[in-house]
Amino acid sequence: MEVVLVDRELGNDGDLSLLGRVDVLVKSPGVPRKVPLVVDAERRGVPVWSEVELGYRLLQPRLLGVTGTNGKTTTCELLGVMLRAPVAGNVGRALTDLYREVEPGTWIVCELSSFQLEDVHELACEIAVLLNLEPDHLDRHGSFEAYRDAKLRIFERARTKIVPRGLGLDGIEFAADDPLPSEPLMRGVHNRENAAAATAAARAAGIADEQIADALRTFPGVPHRLELVRELNGVRYVNDSKATNVAAALRALAAYEDEPVQLILGGSSKGEDFAPLAAAIGPNVRSVHAIGETAGELAGVIPGTDRDGDLATALQAIEAEPGDVVLLSPACASYDQFRDFEERGEEFRRLVQNLSA
């Protein structure tokens, strides 16, 4: 098999003549369908696959797929502990990386983004989980309807469907108030909802409640999701850099609704409306500090917002008191100032660790 690598850094991403040599184009999820190479491949009848499609065909696993607007990584990692199974996909490790490491028929937990689900054809989840559906990636998909349709492709060919109660979808329903075999260690109603979805999926996979309960009691969550970085002089600093949309930031605010919060928002725009976020900011939020590309827009809808520009300036401007929570929950992507949300969270962690007592 001959593989032709195409990348912007190689300078060949615009070379349409390469398509004359290939039988299939495997597309990174970060590459939009509208780029000339993909458009011309479809015109020529060259199949366009997502990387997870290739991984599925190579591995032939028992796939437990998870999608949703928020909570995918947390739920996948929790399910990996419950099933004692490898985790791959959008979570960090490509599905194809597991080739030659696992036997066909092995359980694999796979995080599936809307970008990955755009280009699946034979991929079939034995168990498919939809966590939630809220506006996101409108800059890429163009409309909520197109985004929703991409997400719902996870149910094509799925044997068992796990769905949120109240959405009117066919499948095994879950909700945040479901009885669980143990209360989760993770904080927040949204994480209890993630735990309920994981429990329903694990039970569908045949996992005993005792094993599920042990995972719920011990799983601490994943970095950049309501991650307590440090407590200094009675002030807790919480890294929620993965809150890259309004819905995720709303969940973070709900998790700390009974505590005084100094809130850091902002980043690069995803085309979302910030009005619901403004409406949810209650009296417990003592200050709002906006950074990045969307700072002006946020200041325009949230009265009293300080436009601080960057994380370092925001942290310097916050006058926190013992008992306060300094919460980075941006409600925006990170690409204006950082490579990704992880780099943003690492910078927040570094700045907080360097604060002096």
Side-chain angles (χ1 to χ4, degrees):
M1 178 188 298
E2 181 184 0
V3 177
V4 180
L5 179 63
V6 178
D7 191 90
R8 182 182 303 166
E9 293 186 2
L10 297 176
N12 63 348
D13 59 319
D15 186 357
L16 303 184
S17 68
L18 293 172
L19 292 169
R21 301 167 47 196
V22 302
D23 298 311
V24 61
L25 187 153
V26 179
K27 183 172 74 64
S28 167
V31 176
R33 295 184 62 85
K34 63 183 179 182
V35 301
L37 203 65
V38 177
V39 171
D40 202 52
E42 293 188 316
R43 182 186 66 80
R44 295 177 185 225
V46 176
V48 178
W49 293 359
S50 173
E51 179 274 333
V52 292
E53 176 73 15
L54 175 62
Y56 177 79
R57 295 191 189 208
L58 289 172
L59 295 164
Q60 292 298 303
R62 299 181 74 183
L63 201 64
L64 198 168
V66 179
T67 197
T69 306
N70 295 300
K72 296 184 295 298
T73 299
T74 297
T75 304
C76 282
E77 294 290 358
L78 176 57
L79 276 165
V81 176
M82 288 179 175
L83 271 67
R84 298 168 185 166
V87 179
N90 195 55
V91 70
R93 192 177 189 195
L95 185 58
T96 49
D97 281 351
L98 298 179
Y99 186 53
R100 302 187 193 284
E101 291 187 20
V102 299
E103 296 293 325
T106 300
W107 275 112
I108 297 176
V109 180
C110 189
E111 179 179 325
L112 295 167
S113 71
S114 59
F115 297 168
Q116 291 168 311
L117 288 166
E118 282 180 329
D119 299 297
V120 296
H121 306 279
E122 293 184 6
L123 181 144
C125 296
E126 185 156 332
I127 301 171
V129 181
L130 174 69
L131 295 172
N132 41 62
L133 263 179
E134 291 150 316
D136 198 13
H137 299 302
L138 304 186
D139 54 335
R140 164 83 172 253
H141 291 288
S143 68
F144 174 68
E145 289 73 22
Y147 169 69
R148 177 199 62 205
D149 291 347
K151 285 289 193 188
L152 293 180
R153 294 201 65 196
I154 195 172
F155 292 135
E156 296 175 4
R157 299 170 295 278
R159 295 181 62 182
T160 301
K161 304 173 185 179
I162 311 294
V163 300
R165 186 171 301 131
L167 275 192
L169 297 172
D170 182 41
I172 299 170
E173 295 184 324
F174 70 90
D177 59 356
D178 285 351
L180 300 177
S182 179
E183 285 304 306
L185 177 61
M186 298 179 293
R187 182 187 182 112
V189 173
H190 66 295
N191 275 324
R192 199 180 192 285
E193 188 173 46
N194 293 335
T199 297
R203 284 170 169 166
I207 305 302
D209 270 10
E210 182 180 352
Q211 188 167 318
I212 294 171
D214 184 60
L216 291 172
R217 284 192 299 265
T218 58
F219 182 70
V222 292
H224 312 297
R225 286 90 168 162
L226 292 187
E227 174 193 7
L228 178 61
V229 172
R230 185 184 187 188
E231 184 167 341
L232 176 66
N233 299 329
V235 177
R236 283 168 292 158
Y237 292 84
V238 176
N239 168 22
D240 195 39
S241 182
K242 185 56 177 70
T244 59
N245 53 55
V246 169
L250 292 176
R251 286 175 167 83
L253 287 171
Y256 291 98
E257 63 183 354
D258 296 324
E259 297 167 73
V261 169
Q262 314 273 0
L263 179 63
I264 303 174
L265 297 171
S268 56
S269 175
K270 298 171 85 173
E272 282 199 85
D273 180 7
F274 292 127
L277 180 62
I281 292 177
N284 69 307
V285 178
R286 294 183 168 177
S287 68
V288 178
H289 301 262
I291 65 172
E293 175 186 288
T294 57
E297 186 179 356
L298 286 161
V301 297
I302 304 173
T305 295
D306 293 331
R307 294 178 60 174
D308 292 324
D310 57 33
L311 279 175
T313 306
L315 283 168
Q316 289 171 3
I318 290 172
E319 298 178 356
E321 300 176 359
D324 284 0
V325 175
V326 175
L327 174 64
L328 170 67
S329 192
C332 298
S334 56
Y335 304 122
D336 54 340
Q337 296 179 330
F338 301 96
R339 181 182 64 251
D340 50 32
F341 75 85
E342 292 164 318
E343 185 178 69
R344 178 170 61 189
E346 293 295 339
E347 175 66 2
F348 178 77
R349 185 185 293 126
R350 183 188 71 80
L351 290 168
V352 168
Q353 294 292 3
N354 287 337
L355 292 173
S356 60

